[in-house]
Amino acid sequence: MITQRLVRGLPWGLALWLGMAVSVDGADLTAEVVLRSLEGGKRFLVSRQRANGSWSNEEDGSDGNHPIGVTSLTVMSLLNSGMTFRDPPVRRALDYLRKRRISELDKTYDNSLMLMAFAAAKDPTVSDAARISSLAQWLEAAQNSGGPRAGAWSYGANPNGIADPSNTQFAILGLHEAAEAGVPIDRQVWLRSKQYWESLQNADGGWDYGGAQSSTGSMTVAGVASLTIIDYHLKTDQGVMADGTPPCCQKDEPNPALERGIRWLANHFAVGHNPGSGTWLLYYVYGIERAGRLSGHRFFGDHDWYREGAEFLLQIQTPRDQSWVGVGSEENRPVVGTALSLLFLSKGLAPILISKLKYGPRDPTRPLEVEGQDWNQHPRDHRNLAEHISGLPHWPNLLTTQEVDLQKALKSNGVDALLQAPILYLTGSEPLQFSAEERSLLKEYLYQGGFILASPTCQNAAFEESLRALLTEMLPPGEGELKPLTADHPVYRSEHLLQPEGVPLYGVDVGCRTAVIYSPEDLGCLWGYWRRHDPPKRNPQLKARIIRAMQIGVNIAAYATGREPPQSLDAPKKRPEEVALDAVERGLLQVAQIKHTGQWNAAPRALKNLLLALNDTVGLTAAVQPKDLPADDPNLFQYPLLYMHGRTRFKLTAEEQLQLKLHLSRGGVLFADACCGAVPFDRSFRELIATMYPDHPLQPIPVTHELFSEAVGRDVRRVRRRAIDNSNPNAPLTTTIREVEPLLEGVEIDGRYVVIYSKYDISCALERQATLSCEGYLPEDAVKLATNIVLYALLQDLRLPEEQAK
């Protein structure tokens, strides 16, 4: 929360607005809260659009100094906040910009922002390729080519003008977008700019405006973002063999200037002010997003830059019109201030697809830093994979990555730090050495629904051997062995149709799914060579290798996430520990899980998570340590609710069936589901019920039944369910998520359901372990549906004495 000390340190006007704003505590900061803030900011900007489609930042509505730049910045913020080229405000703004003659434009800010606006629009109805190319050529020609500021840009087209790092960072951002759109950029442009930024860096690792001043936050985030972009574009295919084999054992050395800049941000991080400066607050905050997202750092030091920045921006959003005003020229008026704020909030909210695990021995001189780069020999690998996936059909338009330090996670947020991303990427060439605490944390991550993707650097056998040993130590006996994935494993069809015999993958199952996938190939090396557009003279065999490696990565990501990575603020968190055992045993509701001959415990934490959810959301005192009993155990009658699930075929003996039926006749309820819609379990369960109740077959429970209503719990007459099209085994899997009526079947005896069954998955969703191939309800809706089933069962148990009395 924003403290009184921080408020006293702000300029008078900003402190006043802080007092007017609604307080948002970090614990209450969710994607939904941020999205509401974004909607308010968008409404404000749309209300300020002029009749010709442009925006003015001036109080009197005049054009001001940067009419093209203000309009471009504003339309960028709308596009990144959820609007598209089809929305009328965006369409009018793009039409306004397209009418500008590029030959008449002479400002670096304006041209850079216009280029980025056209690139962000991705309008297939109008080709902006020529405009983007012309603007890129203008920027290339305007770069200073000599003197002490060679490689930088000034305000205008004069290549010998007085250049500065602010204009320079926007020129680099624009050229980066042009290159991503397929415009070839002269390599010398990147080389000159790299030299400029490195020569401009101060001894403390930060950057200033170029006048021998103290380092500032706004210029340091500019330097970090710029060098990250430049290094990306300077990577070459040097060393690639004639057959397309890249030099994977050659380490990509980190950029020392970039590393120093990131350390400066870690040591000076703030969101309530621009470190080292009393102005340019929102300009700096937006720069934090660029530096953090482009460099792959979710944390600067111990600071979660997005959470802290979003909390701050929501604090200072003006309640009256939902705008933002910052400190400094241009941003001290609401159009530019709001546009900058929306860009930070919207881009930083993008889902984190992959966390790359930072691990290894610590540097004695800097205990918080890992010694060496074995964990990160291909620094761009995971970021390139996420950029490639961004915008693919059925995926979010923007996905991000981060690096997560295992030791820092242990000392701070524990498993929650790992759960920020659905995929934890583990790579290296040396034997893995983790402490008992670190192994325990990784184990907890898997059990909480996480997924580990492992791949060696330089295809090192020692890495694989140590990974096998690690998994064996982490998981129960017999469960941690890496085994070859079978040809029918859904990962081979989750996005691209891969040939299993040519793509060796190994896995470990945890609960409902394969939670660890290991590739013996150095996938990260090839991911590091990926470009949205191939560089000149790229070896075609290298290109083929890159395509194959990217397809493998996409398939693994699709399998692990179901193409539904959570927004960054809504990543799952570890549930709080349950209450003490003696209180648990006295719980109002106690549940037994039925053991059977099949895979009876495929989702071992599903029932516990459900009972915890009941305690959290309903206030019911439920015993969260369920009992596992065979159906013929005499203790069965102590439990009003019985639960069972599975993935494979199973049977109950005649004695088990007899006792189970007797228990249900005395008021008990059996709740069952097929994990991930497993057909073998479904067939066996139907056979069981047909044998036990030949005169009462399973029938759909009408959606009008009280089970689905608020009379029992929540209104669950409409839920979201994932459907799998598996009709063609020779085609990639396709999935759809639809809002539908829930399909539950039951056996009704004397007006009450004694059996409630779902052929669609509930259990794996309760564990957050559902994958792309898991046919069933989404986690949030599975919790609601299962909660209602439990409450209905409890209600029957309470009603039974009344019925017997009658």
Side-chain angles (χ1 to χ4, degrees):
M1 184 177 291
I2 302 296
T3 64
Q4 291 298 316
R5 179 180 177 185
L6 184 151
V7 172
R8 287 197 297 270
L10 290 172
W12 176 83
L14 194 52
L16 176 64
W17 286 319
L18 277 172
M20 295 170 58
V22 177
S23 176
V24 179
D25 191 284
D28 300 325
L29 189 66
T30 63
E32 182 180 359
V33 171
V34 173
L35 289 171
R36 285 201 301 268
S37 174
L38 285 169
E39 288 302 314
K42 286 194 291 185
R43 285 194 300 271
F44 169 78
L45 289 178
V46 170
S47 73
R48 290 296 186 96
Q49 190 174 28
R50 301 193 292 187
N52 67 355
S54 69
W55 278 269
S56 169
N57 199 41
E58 304 302 316
E59 294 180 2
D60 61 3
S62 60
D63 280 349
N65 294 325
H66 296 280
I68 302 300
V70 170
T71 299
S72 300
L73 180 72
T74 305
V75 76
M76 280 171 56
S77 72
L78 295 178
L79 286 165
N80 281 281
S81 300
M83 286 189 174
T84 72
F85 64 88
R86 296 184 182 90
D87 289 293
V90 173
R91 191 169 61 247
R92 289 196 299 270
L94 292 173
D95 288 344
Y96 167 82
L97 293 175
R98 287 170 182 141
K99 292 174 183 176
R100 305 304 99 191
R101 292 180 179 272
I102 295 176
S103 59
E104 298 174 358
L105 302 178
D106 61 353
K107 293 184 173 66
T108 300
Y109 281 122
D110 288 359
N111 289 8
S112 300
L113 286 166
M114 182 189 282
L115 192 162
M116 288 189 277
F118 287 141
K122 295 181 174 64
D123 185 351
T125 65
V126 179
S127 176
D128 291 315
R131 297 180 182 87
I132 291 173
S133 180
S134 296
L135 289 165
Q137 290 173 20
W138 187 96
L139 289 172
E140 286 185 286
Q143 186 187 38
N144 277 26
S145 56
R149 295 178 185 253
W153 279 262
S154 64
Y155 280 90
N158 182 2
N160 297 312
I162 300 176
D164 65 75
S166 182
N167 274 288
T168 300
Q169 72 157 328
F170 275 88
I172 289 172
L173 289 166
L175 289 172
H176 172 65
E177 293 299 333
E180 291 294 277
V183 178
I185 306 299
D186 187 344
R187 181 176 174 81
Q188 291 301 314
V189 171
W190 303 119
L191 287 170
R192 285 193 294 265
S193 195
K194 179 181 177 74
Q195 183 178 5
Y196 167 76
W197 282 107
E198 292 179 352
S199 65
L200 190 68
Q201 189 173 32
N202 293 328
D204 63 0
W207 280 270
D208 58 53
Y209 193 66
Q213 306 166 16
S214 299
S215 299
T216 66
S218 53
M219 288 298 96
T220 301
V221 292
V224 167
S226 296
L227 282 178
T228 301
I229 290 171
I230 291 166
D231 286 350
Y232 168 71
H233 288 289
L234 285 177
K235 183 175 174 65
T236 69
D237 291 354
Q238 185 178 359
V240 175
M241 298 174 66
D243 66 353
T245 302
C248 292
C249 297
Q250 178 180 308
K251 297 180 181 180
D252 291 335
E253 295 297 332
N255 184 328
L258 181 57
E259 295 296 306
R260 288 197 300 272
I262 290 170
R263 282 199 295 272
W264 189 96
L265 290 175
N267 294 330
H268 299 83
F269 185 84
V271 291
H273 65 280
N274 179 3
S277 171
T279 187
W280 302 110
L281 174 61
L282 298 180
Y283 173 82
Y284 156 67
V285 171
Y286 171 46
I288 293 174
E289 180 275 328
R290 290 197 306 274
R293 183 173 56 82
L294 292 174
S295 69
H297 285 77
R298 177 56 184 256
F299 290 85
F300 288 124
D302 295 328
H303 297 277
D304 183 333
W305 59 261
Y306 183 70
R307 181 170 287 276
E308 293 184 31
E311 181 186 347
F312 172 71
L313 287 177
L314 267 61
Q315 295 264 0
I316 67 171
Q317 189 172 16
T318 307
R320 178 176 52 83
D321 59 11
Q322 300 296 291
S323 68
W324 280 269
V325 178
V327 183
S329 62
E330 299 296 339
E331 72 170 52
N332 64 356
R333 291 180 287 266
V335 170
V336 166
T338 302
L340 291 170
S341 300
L342 290 187
L343 284 167
F344 175 93
L345 290 173
S346 59
K347 287 193 170 186
L349 193 61
I352 303 171
L353 179 66
I354 302 173
S355 286
K356 191 172 189 178
L357 190 65
K358 187 175 184 179
Y359 67 93
R362 300 285 139 170
D363 187 331
T365 61
R366 296 196 305 270
L368 293 179
E369 296 298 323
V370 171
E371 188 177 44
Q373 288 288 117
D374 187 63
W375 65 277
N376 195 33
Q377 292 190 40
H378 309 308
R380 287 284 321 187
D381 48 6
H382 60 310
R383 279 179 269 164
N384 284 359
L385 178 62
E387 287 185 24
H388 170 68
I389 294 175
S390 296
L392 288 178
H394 314 299
W395 286 90
N397 286 329
L398 180 61
L399 293 165
T400 63
T401 64
Q402 65 180 19
E403 296 167 358
V404 58
D405 189 311
L406 191 56
Q407 270 297 312
K408 289 181 181 178
L410 268 176
K411 295 176 180 178
S412 56
N413 296 330
V415 74
D416 285 347
L418 303 186
L419 287 170
Q420 287 186 347
I423 300 173
L424 185 65
Y425 176 43
L426 175 60
T427 185
S429 63
E430 299 174 2
L432 297 167
Q433 296 181 3
F434 293 124
S435 67
E437 283 184 315
E438 291 171 331
R439 291 196 301 270
S440 178
L441 183 61
L442 292 172
K443 176 182 177 180
E444 185 66 16
Y445 170 70
L446 292 176
Y447 281 154
Q448 291 290 332
F451 177 93
I452 292 178
L453 164 60
S455 175
T457 300
C458 197
Q459 298 188 216
N460 190 291
F463 177 87
E464 179 176 329
E465 291 173 6
S466 62
L467 175 66
R468 290 181 179 275
L470 170 68
L471 294 170
T472 302
E473 292 171 359
M474 280 171 45
L475 299 173
E479 296 183 18
E481 182 185 353
L482 272 176
K483 297 179 181 179
L485 299 185
T486 57
D488 60 351
H489 194 285
V491 74
Y492 289 113
R493 297 174 51 211
S494 57
E495 183 96 15
H496 303 285
L497 190 59
L498 302 177
Q499 299 303 318
E501 61 273 13
V503 182
L505 295 173
Y506 298 79
V508 170
D509 288 350
V510 176
C512 297
R513 60 170 189 163
T514 303
V516 179
I517 288 183
Y518 169 69
S519 168
E521 303 177 53
D522 188 348
L523 296 175
C525 172
L526 289 160
W527 294 345
Y529 279 89
W530 174 85
R531 294 292 181 275
R532 199 170 298 281
H533 300 277
D534 290 328
K537 300 180 181 179
R538 167 154 278 177
N539 183 313
Q541 290 175 280
L542 171 63
K543 180 176 180 179
R545 290 173 183 266
I546 294 170
I547 291 172
R548 175 181 173 276
M550 299 306 289
Q551 289 180 344
I552 295 171
V554 172
N555 275 36
I556 293 172
Y559 173 78
T561 67
R563 303 192 190 96
E564 303 156 21
Q567 289 178 303
S568 60
L569 289 177
D570 288 349
K573 295 183 180 296
K574 179 183 178 182
R575 299 195 65 85
E577 292 299 323
E578 59 270 17
V579 294
L581 184 61
D582 58 347
V584 165
E585 294 304 322
R586 294 194 298 270
L588 174 63
L589 174 64
Q590 298 188 28
V591 182
Q593 182 168 349
I594 300 296
K595 299 169 73 173
H596 53 75
T597 58
Q599 194 178 10
W600 66 271
N601 204 23
R605 287 160 187 76
L607 182 54
K608 182 177 178 180
N609 286 348
L610 170 58
L611 296 173
L612 284 167
L614 280 162
N615 290 339
D616 290 346
T617 60
V618 182
L620 181 67
T621 307
V624 296
Q625 297 290 351
K627 299 294 184 182
D628 304 327
L629 299 173
D632 59 355
D633 191 305
N635 291 307
L636 201 69
F637 294 94
Q638 298 180 33
Y639 302 92
L641 177 62
L642 307 177
Y643 166 78
M644 67 184 295
H645 68 226
R647 297 174 64 181
T648 60
R649 289 192 64 84
F650 72 94
K651 285 188 177 181
L652 296 185
T653 66
E655 292 77 12
E656 289 175 323
Q657 293 182 38
L658 182 63
Q659 181 156 293
L660 177 59
K661 186 174 182 180
L662 178 61
H663 176 54
L664 298 182
S665 71
R666 293 180 177 178
V669 175
L670 173 63
F671 164 32
D673 77 298
C675 291
C676 287
V679 173
F681 180 88
D682 179 69
R683 289 173 179 167
S684 291
F685 189 81
R686 293 181 187 281
E687 292 168 3
L688 170 68
I689 298 303
T691 302
M692 289 175 56
Y693 296 101
D695 299 327
H696 297 82
L698 281 171
Q699 297 285 350
I701 302 175
V703 76
T704 54
H705 191 275
E706 65 173 346
L707 169 62
F708 301 103
S709 72
E710 292 172 317
V712 166
R714 299 175 179 174
D715 184 345
V716 289
R717 290 171 293 179
R718 302 292 293 181
V719 290
R720 293 166 298 162
R721 192 173 70 220
R722 182 189 297 106
I724 313 295
D725 182 359
N726 199 21
S727 57
N728 183 357
N730 297 316
L733 289 173
T734 58
T735 65
T736 55
I737 295 175
R738 296 192 180 97
E739 186 176 287
V740 296
E741 292 181 355
L743 177 58
L744 295 179
E745 299 173 85
V747 173
E748 188 175 19
I749 306 291
D750 296 331
R752 73 180 185 91
Y753 283 100
V754 299
V755 176
I756 300 171
Y757 173 65
S758 173
K759 74 172 188 175
Y760 297 115
D761 176 77
I762 293 176
S763 294
C764 296
L766 290 172
E767 285 201 335
R768 299 193 296 264
Q769 296 236 26
T771 64
L772 183 71
S773 60
C774 195
E775 191 159 24
Y777 300 98
L778 298 194
E780 296 82 0
D781 294 341
V783 170
K784 296 175 185 176
L785 194 57
T787 298
N788 273 35
I789 293 171
V790 174
L791 293 174
Y792 173 81
L794 181 60
L795 186 61
Q796 307 318 298
D797 190 49
L798 295 174
R799 286 173 175 169
L800 193 60
E802 300 176 8
E803 297 299 323
Q804 291 174 340
K806 292 179 182 178

